Amino acid sequence: MTDIKSAWSALGGDPAALSRLALVEREGALAARLPVRELARACVGACALAAAELAAVRAGRSGPPAVRVDDGAVATAFVSERHLLVDGRAPVSFAPLSRFWRTADGWVRTHANYPHHRRRLLAALGLPEQADPDRVGAVLAERSALGVEEAVHAAGGLAFALRTPAEWSAHPQGAAVAAGPLVGRERPDTAGPRVLARLRDTPLLPAAGVRVLDLTRVIAGPVATRTLALLGADVLRLDAPHLPELADQHADTGFGKRSATLDLAAGRAALEELIAAADVVVTGYRPGALDRFGLSPEALTERRPGLVVAQLSAWGTSGPWRGRRGFDSLVQAATGIAVLEGTPGRPGALPAQALDHGTGHLLAAAVLRALTEQSSEGGSRVVRLSLARTASWLLSAAERTEPAVTEPGAGRKDGASRRAGPSREPGPSREAAGPYERPDRWLGERDSRLGRLRYALPPVAFDGGPGDWAHPPTPWGSDPARWT
């Protein structure tokens, strides 16, 4: 089940702590055929509980403060990129060539938001850089979906054939993903316990004083580090100078952080200085892509014992696709989610990039739990999550309640899932509130160097905790590549 108990268990949390959690349920939030609302609530709830747990440890309390997760706040935050306004202007989420296309034998989903991915897609199709969507569609209509998938991958671009859940389960990558844990957790050494200063002031900032080196891009990783910044961490995001982040995407996920650029090869000395003083390193690139810079989990923990390394990927660290690029929309297409959420004859999508946002909150939760464990047990920590494994978690809930689905639109239409019988295990309280109709109460506004921002407020909340980020996003690459 995609519920808070399974998420908290995957993080290694104490089941008794679930009694500190109150869930405010609102009908209409993240409505979908699959239990997206339940997944989103579970991911945010686990993150908020992990934050409260660490806050209690650092404040010398016997148990975590009360945690409250409101479906309205969660639903608003899971589409934060749609609520963002910069001086009244709404960003464009997807470029014209990022979409589903009909092929000769099915459908394929492409992603071309970044200029280099657009160039590679067009090159794989034998088209010039100025080709428009009509021309792309005409070429794709004559090719097989699997043929396009492999040709675009070979060119370094992004395209994935639409698969049913059954086809994904039978695929070697689907099997490899399903065989792994939702949250991979390792302790590679026996470094001494981490000593964090006692929290004495309010709001309680459980990650205060923790230095987080953020080597992530797009949504899931930046959501995780944005959440750690909310909780007091000093988050420094590093990007390659030649790969600027999309401006609106950076604005949405940059709250509470600083942003710097660094050539990891030419600036190796500066990188080593950052690692030497870091407490947490978060990476969001393909497994192995950063190894040549000494940024594999093994290399990092070997020269920085006591470090927490959080590794995020699209497809996981095992299986034939472990080295492939991927984004939320592509994972939805490849795993069968787009079939379940579609209509007969046409693929669909979840009501939010829930794999991104959900995995991002779980990743932040895994880091917080690692810090809590280190405070008494010591040891470096490595945590690993993937969008595909989160997708598998979501699909597994449907498999337990539905017959096999082979056509788009054949899944549930009400987003409901069959509830288990009463449990005697400790669990959260539940409160039925009004329906989710408008996001206004969960939106904030503030001035920034980027302009006047309207944005989704953070959904992670506990008694005595922060209600908003300490500062708005800074312009991309405008901060020095050093710790404050």
Side-chain angles (χ1 to χ4, degrees):
M1 294 293 290
T2 51
D3 61 9
I4 181 63
K5 290 184 179 180
S6 60
W8 189 240
S9 175
L11 292 163
D14 180 359
L18 292 168
S19 64
R20 303 297 297 157
L21 179 62
L23 303 175
V24 181
E25 301 180 340
R26 297 181 185 274
E27 290 298 324
L30 299 174
R33 293 185 174 93
L34 289 166
V36 179
R37 179 176 59 151
E38 289 80 358
L39 177 140
R41 182 195 296 149
C43 293
V44 172
C47 185
L49 194 56
E53 178 187 52
L54 181 58
V57 169
R58 296 192 63 183
R61 299 183 180 182
S62 58
V67 174
R68 185 178 177 87
V69 176
D70 192 310
D71 280 352
V74 174
T76 302
F78 267 53
V79 290
S80 60
E81 62 276 6
R82 301 180 202 171
H83 293 302
L84 178 71
L85 293 179
V86 182
D87 286 334
R89 176 187 59 81
V92 176
S93 297
F94 286 97
L97 299 188
S98 296
R99 48 170 278 194
F100 276 109
W101 309 83
R102 272 201 178 276
T103 63
D105 60 353
W107 293 86
V108 68
R109 176 90 196 206
T110 58
H111 195 288
N113 285 4
Y114 290 96
H116 58 293
H117 289 157
R118 184 181 190 277
R119 288 192 299 270
R120 293 168 185 173
L121 170 65
L122 293 173
L125 299 178
L127 293 171
E129 290 192 20
Q130 65 271 23
D132 62 18
D134 289 341
R135 194 168 178 187
V136 171
V139 170
L140 289 172
E142 298 178 350
R143 301 194 182 185
S144 73
L146 292 177
V148 170
E149 179 179 272
E150 290 306 314
V152 175
H153 166 64
L158 291 143
F160 286 85
L162 178 72
R163 290 172 171 82
T164 66
E167 289 170 338
W168 174 245
S169 294
H171 192 280
Q173 189 59 39
V177 167
L182 177 61
V183 181
R185 302 163 57 241
E186 301 171 17
R187 180 179 173 178
D189 58 41
T190 57
R194 178 184 297 276
V195 179
L196 294 172
R198 178 66 62 92
L199 296 180
R200 302 184 184 279
D201 300 323
T202 54
L204 292 170
L205 298 173
V210 175
R211 288 173 166 171
V212 177
L213 188 58
D214 178 3
L215 298 167
T216 69
R217 291 174 65 80
V218 197
I219 296 178
V223 163
T225 51
R226 180 180 69 180
T227 302
L228 295 174
L230 168 74
L231 300 170
D234 177 8
V235 179
L236 177 63
R237 172 169 167 167
L238 281 187
D239 284 286
H242 65 286
L243 288 176
E245 182 60 281
L246 301 175
D248 293 327
Q249 198 160 262
H250 173 73
D252 177 48
T253 59
F255 282 86
K257 311 179 195 177
R258 292 178 297 118
S259 171
T261 60
L262 184 67
D263 184 312
L264 298 185
R268 186 62 180 266
L271 175 64
E272 290 302 323
E273 288 182 8
L274 291 170
I275 293 171
D279 301 295
V280 178
V281 175
V282 185
T283 66
Y285 293 78
R286 293 167 293 146
L290 299 178
D291 289 5
R292 66 187 186 277
F293 304 114
L295 292 169
S296 70
E298 297 78 14
L300 285 167
T301 56
E302 182 177 346
R303 66 186 189 278
R304 179 78 165 118
L307 191 67
V308 175
V309 180
Q311 188 179 45
L312 170 73
S313 62
W315 305 104
T317 57
S318 63
W321 286 6
R322 62 186 179 276
R324 294 201 179 193
R325 299 172 176 86
F327 294 101
D328 183 306
S329 59
L330 302 175
V331 175
Q332 289 188 42
T335 60
I337 289 174
V339 170
L340 295 176
E341 291 296 333
T343 56
R346 189 172 188 86
L350 298 176
Q353 294 190 68
L355 306 181
D356 268 331
H357 286 271
T359 308
H361 282 91
L362 277 180
L363 188 68
V367 169
L368 295 166
R369 288 241 60 253
L371 293 171
T372 296
E373 292 175 349
Q374 285 183 328
S375 67
S376 59
E377 302 171 9
S380 301
R381 292 293 193 282
V382 176
V383 297
R384 292 185 171 93
L385 289 93
S386 73
L387 302 184
R389 185 61 182 85
T390 302
S392 178
W393 186 40
L394 179 62
L395 287 165
S396 69
E399 290 170 1
R400 280 191 289 271
T401 58
E402 295 299 324
V405 177
T406 58
E407 293 295 331
R412 298 187 69 91
K413 295 186 178 181
D414 58 2
S417 58
R418 190 175 299 156
R419 292 185 178 272
S423 172
R424 296 182 181 180
E425 297 179 359
S429 64
R430 296 176 181 270
E431 171 191 338
Y436 179 72
E437 296 175 340
R438 295 177 60 85
D440 303 38
R441 63 185 287 189
W442 298 289
L443 297 175
E445 288 195 22
R446 67 201 302 179
D447 291 318
S448 76
R449 292 162 60 190
L450 304 175
R452 181 71 177 175
L453 302 179
R454 187 196 74 175
Y455 60 98
L457 293 168
V460 173
F462 59 91
D463 284 357
D468 202 347
W469 289 276
H471 62 81
T474 62
W476 181 83
S478 62
D479 297 295
R482 61 174 182 267
W483 297 115
T484 56

